[in-house]
Amino acid sequence: MPCHDIAVVTLDNPPLNSLDHALRVRIVSALTAAQADPAIRAIVLTGSERAFSAGADVTEFGTPRQFAEPILRSVLEQVRHSSKPVVAAIDGVALGGGLELALACHGRVATRRAKVGLPEVTLGLIPGSGGTQRLPRLAGIDVALGLMLGGTQKTASEFVDTSLFDRVVEGHLLDAACACAAELADAGAPWPHADRIHLDPGYVSTKVSLARQRLNARQRLQPAYAALLDAVAASAGPMDEGLALERSLFLGLIGSTEARALRHQFKAERESARLPDALQVAPRPVSTVAVIGAGTMGTGIAICALDAGLDVILVEQDDAALSRGRHRVADHYAARVSAGKLDEHAAVAVQARLLPTIDWQAIGRADLVIEAVFEELSVKQDVFRRLDAVARPGAVLATNTSYLDIDTIAAVTSRPQDVLGLHFFSPANVMKLLEVIRSRDTAADVLATGMALGRTLRKSPVLCGNAFGFIGNRVYNAYRRQCEFMLEDGAWPEDVDRALTAFGVAMGPFAVADLSGLDIAWRMRLAQAATRDPRERHVPVLAQLCEQGRMGQKSGAGYYRYTDGQRAPSTDETVRGLIEQASAARGLQRHALKADEIVRRALLAMVNEAACLHADGVSSRPGDIDVVLVQGYGFPRWQGGPVFWAREQDRKQLLAELRELVAAGGRGMRLADEAALALLLD
């Protein structure tokens, strides 16, 4: 139907029509003009195929533009009280404030593929322009709670049984929206609006109470979740009262440490995925990836590549190992099908792009090769010697090492410029972090290829310099070492784990060690023993546990004892005895450590190491360190990362505490001096 008497207002702020101040001004101006024009009887708001609007411009947060009139609430009030019906025509995404704008309209038409969501909780906020009041009324309390608490996106086709959309169409969006607007105009005022939908207070109260009970421990540590539920509970009352409460809660959150930390992490993730300007070159094309090693890590990497639409050659040394790897991949996709997350035909099509083989000559077809073999230098060097002989010229050769020197691995090839590190985190098909490690000779386009691959795999790639442990393991080792010092000083493993999980880390360091296997760290320390200064403070407990066969969960005991897969609530006498012996050998009088002291010492150790590695050039940007620790090591996202945390502290006190921490650690600990700290925090 032609829109000859309907004003079409197009949101135009590429790429995603973020609702910055300039766009808000233009929307109000267009609405005012349309309402004043007697030839216009209805209004359609639309965007682009990519986005109706992705919501607020986060770069305005904390600036005067954020609260410059017209704020979004003012725009929505003009829509709400329009003398002519307003219909939102939605394609692409309608997120946050973009969805709130659509919710304030009198009608909504969307394409089936359009995606909607209110992800504010992931930024430590709640919807601040009516989302908590209108979405429950239009989509139902259950759907609204799921969408807002999860911070997820859903397609318009998933809302066909609700009142959220008047029409969901395959195509001709604008025509359908104009037809909807014309029908509303023909019907006359009052126009349909969420305000006129009333919810059952008892039902809303029950659902909100259940949602509070179901919040997990990490959600309970973030004030946005409780605030969101408070706001949604008000949707059972008068609209204006709910809007007022929502706004008050929103304003209380926007300056909170958690919200600022989450905005910092959001910005840091966007920046970390970009190479520094000096290294900005075109990547090499990659359509086929070879993965050497079909163990847990190798098959996880293969699944990532398959999910990204790449062809994968999975290489093993014998048929038995290859068969195990092939079955891991098949089991993964079978589980996806059983869970309803993947169509069976799609699963078959994905696996058709996998070539399992023991023939190394097949690697010659690959554009990029990733080895995922045993973490031992000689083993990886042998692999790269073979790769040098079979990989095609120009192919990128990547090692998945966690600690080893990339230069030493690259040196066994005739093409060190084609070698880099791609450090995946386990499970590789789940974890978002990818450390991209630059060796001495790595070509710029090879680095660009590694970063581009990370984005193709839908990961967060972070550029790292070639130094022991790169960014993540180097900081984590310093953190874990400090936690072991606290055992000698007087804490038990459960004291440390409990304090740090209360701060928000996903798992305490000793629970993590048991989960991953104590023998991994033990082997690494054995390899370093010959070069370690004997005067260096070294806690022997981990080695002693391994020598007793206590390798963690897989052996039934580590720092904790496990019965039927369950962790004991506290450490047993064997562990406590070893810890007490270590304290006595060092001449330490054990004393209980308070939770806040445990947390602060752990964070100070991370900050000190972060400052040292940044001063050494291992990280390109301070924010990269926070991305690595949050994405790969369970650091609480709403705490921003160790760099953000350090920036929140008094600089003089922080430096004094770092000096004290390093002095207590003794020989082997390097102090991040004032200059290194300034590089990190300024």
Side-chain angles (χ1 to χ4, degrees):
M1 176 180 178
C3 300
H4 65 276
D5 55 358
I6 295 171
V8 177
V9 178
T10 302
L11 279 57
D12 186 18
N13 185 22
L16 295 175
N17 293 329
S18 59
L19 293 163
D20 63 11
H21 180 253
L23 181 57
R24 299 195 301 268
V25 168
R26 294 199 299 273
I27 293 171
V28 167
S29 177
L31 289 172
T32 302
Q35 289 166 354
D37 187 344
I40 296 298
R41 64 189 187 119
I43 302 165
V44 169
L45 294 179
T46 189
S48 66
E49 288 187 3
R50 187 175 180 188
F52 175 74
S53 171
D57 182 350
V58 294
T59 65
E60 289 190 345
F61 284 11
T63 73
R65 294 192 307 279
Q66 181 183 4
F67 297 108
E69 287 289 352
I71 62 173
L72 183 58
R73 282 173 65 90
S74 300
V75 178
L76 269 55
E77 282 301 295
Q78 183 163 353
V79 171
R80 178 186 182 190
H81 298 295
S82 173
S83 60
K84 299 172 181 178
V86 183
V87 172
I90 303 170
D91 200 0
V93 296
L95 305 175
L99 179 56
E100 288 180 300
L101 174 59
L103 294 173
C105 292
H106 308 107
R108 286 157 298 282
V109 177
T111 62
R112 293 185 64 82
R113 68 183 181 186
K115 291 185 176 181
V116 300
L118 290 172
E120 284 83 355
V121 74
T122 65
L123 289 175
L125 302 172
I126 66 171
S129 298
T132 65
Q133 305 306 299
R134 295 188 174 102
L135 188 62
R137 287 172 164 89
L138 292 166
I141 188 72
D142 296 282
V143 171
L145 283 171
L147 199 64
M148 288 187 282
L149 287 170
T152 53
Q153 301 176 23
K154 289 189 175 183
T155 61
S157 60
E158 297 177 73
F159 294 91
V160 292
D161 294 328
T162 74
S163 301
L164 183 56
F165 297 109
D166 296 80
R167 300 176 189 179
V168 177
V169 299
E170 290 287 355
H172 305 292
L173 172 64
L174 194 55
D175 285 350
C178 286
C180 180
E183 289 172 9
L184 291 175
D186 289 342
W191 323 122
H193 203 273
D195 302 35
R196 299 185 177 89
I197 300 174
H198 299 288
L199 300 176
D200 179 344
Y203 187 74
V204 170
S205 177
T206 298
K207 289 296 182 179
V208 170
S209 295
L210 284 172
R212 286 190 201 278
Q213 294 170 23
R214 291 170 181 164
L215 293 178
N216 63 40
R218 301 188 95 200
Q219 289 171 331
R220 292 175 190 276
L221 290 171
Q222 302 173 63
Y225 285 90
L228 177 62
L229 292 172
D230 289 344
V232 172
S235 67
M239 172 69 82
D240 287 337
E241 290 181 13
L243 290 174
L245 176 62
E246 176 195 79
R247 187 63 176 173
S248 174
L249 292 168
F250 173 83
L251 292 175
L253 289 169
I254 199 163
S256 67
T257 299
E258 292 83 1
R260 289 186 294 105
L262 287 163
R263 292 198 296 273
H264 161 79
Q265 184 65 207
F266 176 79
K267 181 181 178 183
E269 285 173 5
R270 294 174 69 178
E271 290 178 344
S272 68
R274 292 182 63 255
L275 283 167
D277 291 342
L279 296 173
Q280 289 280 350
V281 298
R284 299 180 187 180
V286 174
S287 60
T288 301
V289 172
V291 180
I292 313 300
T296 302
M297 178 59 76
T299 52
I301 295 170
I303 289 167
C304 284
L306 290 169
D307 287 346
L310 300 173
D311 293 337
V312 177
I313 303 165
L314 185 61
V315 183
E316 256 296 355
Q317 59 184 346
D318 58 53
D319 288 327
L322 188 65
S323 178
R324 289 191 295 270
R326 187 169 61 247
H327 280 99
R328 285 191 188 97
V329 175
D331 289 347
H332 167 80
Y333 286 108
R336 298 276 293 172
V337 171
S338 296
K341 296 180 178 180
L342 190 66
D343 177 82
E344 189 168 352
H345 295 293
V348 171
V350 168
Q351 292 177 81
R353 287 186 276 104
L354 175 69
L355 172 63
T357 183
I358 59 172
D359 180 9
W360 279 61
Q361 295 302 315
I363 294 170
R365 294 167 41 195
D367 305 304
L368 184 144
V369 186
I370 306 170
E371 68 76 15
V373 301
F374 191 69
E375 185 74 357
E376 187 172 300
L377 181 60
S378 62
V379 175
K380 291 186 183 291
Q381 286 178 319
D382 286 344
V383 167
F384 271 78
R385 289 187 185 95
R386 295 185 69 181
L387 288 180
D388 197 32
V390 298
R392 67 167 181 79
V396 174
L397 309 182
T399 172
N400 181 51
T401 181
S402 304
Y403 294 98
L404 300 175
D405 182 8
I406 312 294
D407 290 336
T408 306
I409 295 171
V412 303
T413 74
S414 62
R415 39 176 147 175
Q417 73 280 359
D418 292 335
V419 178
L420 82 165
L422 291 177
H423 180 206
F424 289 80
F425 289 72
S426 186
N429 55 300
V430 174
M431 298 293 286
K432 285 187 65 178
L433 180 63
L434 177 66
E435 287 185 318
V436 179
I437 302 103
R438 178 186 190 181
S439 76
R440 179 179 56 240
D441 298 308
T442 306
D445 64 340
V446 170
L447 282 179
T449 304
M451 297 293 283
L453 177 69
R455 293 189 292 272
T456 297
L457 300 181
R458 293 183 287 277
K459 295 193 178 294
S460 295
V462 178
L463 179 65
C464 306
N466 180 31
F468 177 80
F470 317 125
I471 293 175
N473 278 334
R474 179 164 165 181
V475 174
Y476 193 83
N477 279 344
Y479 158 79
R480 182 170 58 189
R481 185 183 185 196
Q482 185 61 220
C483 290
E484 291 178 355
F485 289 172
M486 287 189 269
L487 296 186
E488 285 189 335
D489 292 340
W492 303 119
E494 59 268 28
D495 297 331
V496 176
D497 283 354
R498 191 180 301 118
L500 288 163
T501 53
F503 172 73
V505 301
M507 290 181 70
F510 299 109
V512 169
D514 275 2
L515 178 64
S516 60
L518 302 189
D519 50 318
I520 297 174
W522 185 38
R523 284 198 306 268
M524 180 194 71
R525 294 181 188 188
L526 288 174
Q528 295 175 313
T531 58
R532 186 173 61 237
D533 187 333
R535 296 168 295 178
E536 185 178 315
R537 184 174 180 182
H538 176 70
V539 180
V541 173
L542 181 140
Q544 291 168 342
L545 290 172
C546 290
E547 288 164 358
Q548 293 185 22
R550 297 178 64 125
M551 302 296 183
Q553 288 190 21
K554 61 188 175 185
S555 66
Y559 284 102
Y560 302 100
R561 184 169 292 282
Y562 301 85
T563 304
D564 298 327
Q566 298 298 312
R567 190 185 90 178
S570 61
T571 48
D572 60 24
E573 291 306 311
T574 297
V575 175
R576 293 195 171 205
L578 293 174
I579 292 172
E580 288 171 335
Q581 290 171 25
S583 301
R586 196 162 294 281
L588 296 173
Q589 183 67 42
R590 293 181 60 79
H591 64 282
L593 274 62
K594 294 181 179 178
D596 58 351
E597 179 185 355
I598 290 171
V599 170
R600 194 160 186 90
R601 281 179 61 174
L603 292 173
L604 287 168
M606 291 175 125
V607 171
N608 184 70
E609 197 64 36
C612 290
L613 73 85
H614 188 61
D616 293 344
V618 180
S619 57
S620 301
R621 293 160 287 237
D624 290 358
I625 300 169
D626 284 346
V627 172
V628 168
L629 269 296
V630 167
Q631 293 287 357
Y633 295 84
F635 195 100
R637 187 180 181 84
W638 66 93
Q639 298 285 4
V643 175
F644 178 87
W645 178 85
R647 288 174 175 171
E648 296 287 294
Q649 312 303 308
D650 177 81
R651 184 76 61 90
K652 184 178 291 186
Q653 180 183 346
L654 182 67
L655 187 58
E657 288 186 85
L658 290 178
R659 290 191 183 111
E660 182 180 338
L661 185 85
V662 171
R667 185 178 290 271
M669 285 195 69
R670 171 187 168 190
L671 173 66
D673 58 23
E674 197 163 355
L677 199 62
L679 275 176
L680 187 75
L681 303 184
D682 289 342

